């Protein structure tokens, strides 16, 4: 008997990966992915708690789902409703109290127990709550990734974080840092490649702190893991995110020099360009340290481009601190970046700081920062016009006859190409810059146009 499973994913790539794993765990029970929640037999909200009123968004979505759940019940069916992810971890009991129509609340460390929870929820009235940090690692209990056919695949190699940046909930919701054994990572990579992956992005909340058990005893850092993965036949591209500047060691920098498959865009969050703010945030490095790291990476690989995360309006941030962030941004030059207004997260040290920055100032700073960012991003995109970029074609484009993919720098690129090329890496001439993507052209077409 097949049942319809709808999973709605919020937040980071690690949640995207986890959602796929939850679908894998439920597949043996007959659950098959459904595009919408309408008429689904099970709906999972895989939530994110990193910023903003995440919990409120979840409650309003749960309200909407109750109507669908009731409709299904009136027709004699049942819709099991589960809340997973970091909001579940942080507010588990409160969710069951406020939304009694929720059947299951589970934290990110207990996905492998989903089948039991579904069974319990089916039997029982009242919700099932499992937000433990169990002694067993969930990765040992998850079935082998079913590897939905995708040319660009995600692979979680590390979870949790021990850094305790003062603004961040991750150390509380995802728990202590944990690295998967290298042999498990390599086995999963082989399976993904066998299912057509040409690119793998290694994921972790603090991925460059990776230190997994090595196949031959001892530990491997991320550098050694990447070198081993680069030897796998068929794997052409490797990426990793998200990194902490403090864990960017010499061995990892050298990998950017030596491993051509490692793509030339590095996401290296800095958060602020003010030493005072970096210290208050417990980031453990200075602006000069960050700049030195960027410099060393550029020495290692000249075409390396940078991406980052920025927070504006952290408690106590002055106009001068903010200006220092703009200066850092000017100095480094980013190909892209994510920027956020500081959002107090319950239970984190920064949330109880007395000198919170007023909302209008945060908004104004964010707008100024994003203006500079956009101009840098646009300049970077324009600098590629006329160049040839190898594009991994991942899917059909927005218009019939188009394909869409990613450049080495992770920019979306679209081009008029034969649908048979999905999954291939094709050199394309970059011929235009659009707000959210680049336009590419097959080299023969470009050559014909020039000679005509
Ligand atoms: N407020 C604003 N931004 C935050 N981030 C993490 N916690 C907060 C917060 N409380 C941002 C950081 C981090 C990214 C994933 O989210 O920039 O790097
Ligand atoms: Fe959060 Fe990243 Fe800091 Fe860890 S290193 S506490 S995940 S911001």
């Amino acid at each position: 008997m097949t049942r319809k499973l709808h999973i709605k994913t919020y937040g980071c790539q690690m949640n995207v990966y986890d959602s796929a794993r939850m679908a894998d765990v439920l597949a043996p029970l007959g659950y098959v992915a459904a595009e919408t929640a309408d008429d689904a037999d099970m709906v999972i909200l895989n939530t994110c708690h990193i910023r903003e009123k995440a919990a409120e968004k979840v409650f309003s979505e749960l309200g909407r789902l109750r109507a669908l759940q009731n409709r299904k019940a009136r027709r004699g069916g049942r819709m099991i409703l589960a809340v997973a992810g970091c909001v579940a971890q942080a507010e588990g009991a409160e969710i069951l109290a406020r939304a009694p129509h929720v059947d299951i609340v589970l934290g990110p460390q207990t996905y492998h127990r989903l089948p039991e929870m579904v069974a319990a929820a089916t039997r029982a009235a009242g919700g099932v709550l499992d937000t433990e940090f169990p002694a067993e690692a969930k990765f040992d209990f998850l079935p082998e990734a079913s590897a939905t056919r995708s040319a660009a695949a995600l692979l979680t190699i590390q979870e949790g974080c021990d850094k305790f940046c003062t603004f961040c909930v991750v150390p509380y919701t995802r728990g202590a840092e944990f690295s998967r054994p290298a042999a498990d990572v390599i086995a999963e990579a082989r399976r993904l490649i066998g299912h057509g992956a040409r690119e793998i992005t290694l994921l972790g909340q603090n991925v460059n702190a990776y230190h997994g058990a090595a196949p031959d005893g001892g530990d491997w850092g991320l550098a050694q893991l990447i070198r081993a993965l680069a030897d796998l036949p068929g794997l052409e591209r490797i990426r990793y995110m998200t990194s902490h500047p403090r864990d960017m060691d010499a061995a990892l920098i050298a990998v950017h020099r030596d491993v051509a498959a490692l793509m030339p865009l590095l996401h290296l969050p800095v958060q602020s360009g003010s030493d005072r703010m970096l210290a208050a945030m417990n980031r453990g490095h200075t602006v000069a340290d960050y700049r030195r790291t960027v410099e060393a990476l550029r020495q290692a690989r000249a075409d390396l481009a940078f991406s980052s995360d920025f927070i504006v309006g952290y408690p106590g941030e002055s106009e001068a601190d903010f200006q220092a962030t703009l200066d850092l941004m000017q100095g480094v030059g980013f190909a892209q970046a994510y920027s956020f207004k500081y959002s107090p997260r319950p239970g984190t040290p920064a949330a109880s700081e007395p000198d919170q920055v007023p909302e209008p100032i945060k908004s104004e700073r964010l707008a100024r920062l994003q203006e500079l960012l956009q101009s840098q991003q646009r300049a970077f995109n324009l600098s590629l016009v006329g160049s040839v970029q190898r594009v991994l074609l991942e899917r059909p484009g927005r218009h019939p006859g188009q394909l869409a993919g990613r450049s080495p720098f992770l920019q979306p690129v679209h081009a008029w190409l034969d649908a048979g090329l999905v999954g291939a890496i094709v050199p394309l001439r970059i011929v235009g810059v659009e707000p959210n993507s680049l336009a590419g052209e097959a080299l023969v077409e470009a050559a014909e146009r020039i000679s005509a």
Side-chain angles (χ1 to χ4, degrees):
M1 187 178 104
T2 68
R3 303 177 168 105
K4 290 187 204 156
L5 168 68
H6 177 69
I7 306 183
K8 182 163 180 181
T9 308
Y10 301 81
C12 66
Q13 302 278 73
M14 299 190 61
N15 270 8
V16 176
Y17 177 88
D18 284 345
S19 291
R21 293 293 75 74
M22 286 192 274
D24 289 343
V25 186
L26 292 170
L29 306 190
Y31 285 98
V32 176
E35 282 294 311
T36 73
D38 283 339
D39 198 40
D41 298 288
M42 178 158 179
V43 176
I44 303 176
L45 301 183
N46 193 7
T47 61
C48 170
H49 204 228
I50 197 104
R51 285 176 298 272
E52 295 306 320
K53 304 162 186 88
E56 289 316 307
K57 275 189 227 159
V58 171
F59 282 115
S60 65
E61 183 67 23
L62 287 174
R64 273 193 293 279
L65 287 168
R66 181 161 48 183
L68 297 180
Q69 208 183 24
N70 289 341
R71 192 179 67 189
K72 184 136 180 127
R74 280 198 301 278
R75 294 172 182 169
R78 167 133 193 234
M79 177 187 286
I80 296 177
L81 198 50
V83 181
C86 294
V87 175
Q89 187 65 42
E91 322 228 353
E94 160 132 19
I95 293 172
L96 288 181
R98 271 183 65 184
H101 60 298
V102 170
D103 300 289
I104 298 171
V105 176
L106 72 159
Q109 301 313 322
T110 56
Y111 295 155
H112 55 294
R113 298 180 182 168
L114 247 178
E116 297 155 47
M117 292 182 229
V118 171
T122 313
R123 285 192 302 268
V128 177
L129 175 70
D130 192 345
T131 52
E132 270 182 56
F133 287 105
E136 82 267 16
K138 71 173 174 189
F139 289 109
D140 295 344
F141 290 84
L142 289 172
E144 293 185 352
S146 71
T148 37
R149 290 186 168 273
S150 166
L154 304 175
L155 203 176
T156 294
I157 64 167
Q158 179 278 332
E159 272 197 275
C161 184
D162 294 340
K163 290 284 190 293
F164 289 93
C165 300
T166 53
F167 51 81
C168 184
V169 287
V170 165
Y172 311 97
T173 55
R174 292 270 175 167
E177 201 184 290
F178 166 81
S179 296
R180 295 177 68 188
D184 293 7
V185 173
I186 292 168
E188 187 165 334
R190 282 190 202 278
R191 277 195 299 276
L192 291 166
I193 297 163
H195 284 88
R198 313 288 302 274
E199 170 179 308
I200 292 180
T201 300
L202 306 173
L203 299 177
Q205 261 102 20
N206 187 182
V207 75
N208 62 343
Y210 177 85
H211 53 91
D216 49 4
D219 263 11
W220 271 3
L222 182 59
Q224 285 152 299
L225 182 67
I226 290 173
R227 286 182 193 269
L229 290 170
D231 286 338
L232 296 181
L235 184 59
E236 312 231 1
R237 294 176 155 198
I238 301 171
R239 305 179 186 275
Y240 62 91
M241 71 185 292
T242 292
S243 292
H244 194 294
R246 250 164 73 192
D247 295 318
M248 212 65 227
D249 61 16
L252 189 52
I253 292 173
V255 170
H256 284 273
R257 179 191 63 212
D258 299 339
V259 177
L262 190 56
M263 289 291 99
L265 178 81
L266 178 61
H267 184 63
L268 194 59
V270 65
Q271 316 298 355
S272 170
S274 152
D275 281 339
R276 210 171 63 85
M277 290 296 104
L278 290 176
M281 291 172 170
N282 191 33
R283 292 289 289 175
H285 66 84
T286 63
V287 175
D289 294 332
Y290 186 83
R291 284 187 178 250
R292 264 194 298 276
T293 302
V294 166
E295 204 35 56
L297 282 156
R298 283 191 166 136
Q299 290 281 333
R301 183 161 177 175
D303 67 345
L304 192 62
F306 289 87
S307 159
S308 200
D309 291 343
F310 293 90
I311 294 178
V312 301
Y314 182 84
E317 185 188 71
S318 68
E319 175 60 26
D321 292 318
F322 174 66
Q323 193 59 51
T325 300
L326 295 180
D327 291 347
L328 172 68
M329 195 177 268
Q330 281 288 12
V332 172
F334 290 94
Q336 60 155 79
Y338 304 89
S339 49
F340 313 102
K341 289 192 260 189
Y342 169 69
S343 149
R345 311 313 295 138
T348 59
S352 49
E353 285 291 322
D355 39 1
Q356 299 287 328
V357 174
E359 198 55 33
I361 295 183
K362 286 190 208 171
S363 300
E364 184 257 344
R365 287 181 187 163
L366 186 69
R368 279 157 68 199
L369 184 125
Q370 290 188 337
E371 195 180 300
L372 176 55
L373 260 174
Q374 269 158 22
S375 74
Q376 292 197 336
Q377 182 168 358
R378 193 170 160 72
F380 179 74
N381 288 342
L382 281 171
S383 75
L384 297 185
V385 172
S387 73
V388 174
Q389 299 293 329
R390 287 166 55 77
V391 175
L392 172 57
L393 298 163
E394 293 170 35
R395 63 182 76 87
R398 195 148 15 111
H399 304 290
Q402 262 187 355
L403 295 185
R406 298 271 182 173
S407 76
F409 303 102
L410 214 55
Q411 297 140 305
V413 182
H414 56 82
W416 302 104
L417 291 167
D418 187 274
L421 286 171
V422 168
I425 296 176
V426 175
L428 296 178
R429 174 92 51 202
I430 303 303
V431 294
V433 173
E434 290 163 22
N436 300 311
S437 62
L438 304 179
E441 213 169 74
L443 295 190
V444 272
E445 272 172 46
E448 277 167 12
R449 198 161 44 86
I450 290 163
S451 65

